[in-house]
Amino acid sequence: ESAQPEDLIEEETTAPSSEGGPLAKRMWRCARKGVRAEEVWARFAQQVLMTGALRGAKDVSLMFRAFAKIKYRDRRALDALSPFILRHIDAFGTHELALILNAHKRLEYERT
């Protein structure tokens, strides 16, 4: 039996908290599994818009990389995430910054 989009979105995780919040981890897990269902990513994008300032550095990184892996381009969600890159710039390592820049390129995203 295949998983429904709701099952993927609501799935809990037991990963350490240093690896990002629950939403970011669910997004990354779906991206790694190759889930490309439009309704899943539209719902994730909506949740990104609703969670506002509740993002840490790891959350921002995982969310951008998840959108890039699936190549899901939601301009409003990306615009909402972008300011957090500068807010947490000191928390990113060199490797993580390179991954975020690569995600920007894969998404063909330029903040205007």
Side-chain angles (χ1 to χ4, degrees):
E1 180 179 334
S2 66
Q4 297 298 314
E6 298 80 26
D7 299 334
L8 296 169
I9 291 173
E10 299 303 325
E11 182 178 330
E12 289 300 319
T13 183
T14 58
S17 62
S18 64
E19 294 182 11
L23 175 59
K25 288 186 273 190
R26 286 191 308 264
M27 289 174 68
W28 183 243
R29 188 177 311 110
C30 285
R32 288 193 59 193
K33 288 180 180 180
V35 176
R36 295 188 180 277
E38 174 73 24
E39 60 271 10
V40 170
W41 291 96
R43 192 149 167 210
F44 279 146
Q46 186 63 36
Q47 289 177 345
V48 165
L49 292 171
M50 292 186 325
T51 55
L54 303 175
R55 290 187 216 57
K58 191 64 175 181
D59 294 324
V60 173
S61 175
L62 285 175
M63 288 176 180
F64 254 107
R65 291 167 47 206
F67 280 135
K69 188 165 183 67
I70 298 300
K71 295 187 178 169
Y72 185 80
R73 296 174 179 98
D74 184 300
R75 185 101 183 136
R76 291 183 325 142
L78 297 175
D79 285 347
L81 284 174
S82 286
F84 291 95
I85 293 172
L86 291 177
R87 181 177 290 172
H88 298 296
I89 196 75
D90 293 333
F92 295 120
T94 308
H95 184 254
E96 195 147 27
L97 281 173
L99 292 172
I100 292 170
L101 288 172
N102 184 45
H104 272 75
K105 179 161 176 36
R106 289 184 74 185
L107 290 167
E108 300 172 359
Y109 175 71
E110 291 182 23
R111 187 165 167 88
T112 55

